């Protein structure tokens, strides 16, 4: 079964053709990041306009690369939640139009579910059940994936998402948007014990996260340095910050795995590109004899391929949308 999938939840207009949920036939991603960089973050209105401009060409190119027309496609899939509402609406309405004009079924896909599915494209042996840490610019969840379409949130952030925390800290240190990747690079050359930063815990909820205090801690360190007239050692602060975030994520993730009896751990979402997070999951799982998976770097960020992968399993579970499908800015991954 070949699915044409569309993603427009944030600042990437993307599409793909995916076969049976596991094989990428073609995949095209048009990013708007250079434009949003000027404003230090995603400007929702600009994002919607750029999606409108890009979507037709992206889908045309995706089909061309696959050497297919609609007669070779079996279903249309689209990200419908969660995300920027104006951005999501562009993909949803385009997909509805394609579905109506071709008569192909329309499959609605939850954005975080698709991030998890990016692993199915890279790891043919990966099957639920497993425990997944989904860490993106908007969400930080520990999710028990009992089947392809059955999920339970075990822990989540009480304030900022991990990616948001990375981006805010990076911006405070003068790095361009999106700062996560720049902070990760700066941290490679830094001393992670140079700065003392908190490891916030949420009372009574051992699997929940809190990252907003870390940003304040970074701002305080920057002020202290400037008051003393010393130049801020950006590499050291980046390394200390990255370690604080990754320690928090991994402590709760491993604890949840132990408490719920999972021996297969998976990373997903933009922050799963973080080099320390990848190294730590490898180390922690290897020493316990557990299996671990994370997506290749080109599938960590938003893309259409992951949407087509999850869509296959949604289709098998009977999740088909009617023509009144609407976009939603927020929606639980549990549905
Ligand atoms: O999943 P994603 O592409 O978009 C959302 O659904 O939000 O995640 C984007 C987030 C951004 O906050 C970005 O800075 C972060 O992922 N990110 C990273 C790295 N690469 C991307 N954070 C830390 N280290 C990285 N190497
Ligand atoms: Zn995403």
């Amino acid at each position: 079964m070949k699915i044409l999938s569309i993603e427009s939840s944030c600042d990437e207009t993307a599409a793909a053709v995916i076969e049976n949920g596991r094989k990428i036939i073609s995949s095209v991603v048009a990013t708007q990041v250079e434009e949003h960089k000027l404003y230090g973050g995603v400007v929702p209105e600009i994002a919607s306009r750029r999606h409108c401009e890009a979507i037709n060409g992206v889908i045309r190119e995706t089909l061309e690369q696959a050497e297919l027309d609609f007669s070779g496609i079996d279903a249309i899939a689209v990200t419908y939640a969660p995300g920027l509402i104006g951005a999501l609406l562009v993909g949803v309405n385009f997909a509805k139009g394609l579905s109506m004009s071709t008569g192909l079924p329309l499959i609605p896909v939850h954005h975080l579910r698709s991030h998890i599915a990016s692993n199915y494209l890279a790891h043919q042996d990966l099957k639920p059940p497993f425990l997944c840490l989904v860490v993106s610019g908007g969400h930080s969840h520990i999710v028990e994936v009992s089947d392809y379409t059955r999920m339970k949130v075990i822990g989540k952030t009480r304030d900022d998402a991990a990616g948001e925390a990375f981006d805010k800290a990076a911006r405070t240190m003068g790095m361009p948007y999106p700062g996560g990747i720049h902070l990760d690079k700066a941290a490679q050359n830094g001393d992670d014990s140079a700065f003392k930063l908190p490891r916030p815990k949420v009372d009574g909820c051992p699997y929940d996260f809190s990252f907003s205090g870390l940003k304040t801690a970074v701002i305080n360190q920057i002020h202290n340095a400037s008051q003393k007239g010393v130049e801020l050692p950006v590499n050291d602060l980046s390394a200390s910050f990255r370690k604080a975030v990754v320690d928090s994520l991994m402590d709760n993730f491993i604890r949840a795995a132990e408490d719920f009896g999972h021996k297969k751990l998976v990373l997903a979402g933009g922050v799963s590109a973080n080099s320390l997070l990848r190294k730590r999951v490898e180390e922690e799982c290897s020493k316990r004899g557990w299996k671990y998976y994370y997506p290749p770097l080109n599938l960590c960020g938003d893309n259409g391929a992951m949407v087509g992968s999850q869509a296959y399993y949604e289709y098998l579970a009977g999740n088909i949308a009617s023509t009144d499908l609407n976009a939603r800015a927020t929606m639980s991954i549990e549905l």
Side-chain angles (χ1 to χ4, degrees), residues 115 118 268-273 278 294-303 306:
H115 269 301
S118 63
V271 181
S272 62
R278 292 161 89 91
Y294 44 69
L297 289 176
N298 65 327
L299 292 177
C300 288
D302 294 343
N303 63 83
M306 65 187 192

Side-chain angles (χ1 to χ4, degrees), residues 111 115 136-138 163-164 166-167 178-181 184 269-271 273-275 300-302:
H111 184 60
H115 269 301
S136 70
E164 195 179 353
F166 272 116
D167 293 344
I181 188 168
D184 191 11
V271 181
N274 187 267
S275 53
C300 288
D302 294 343

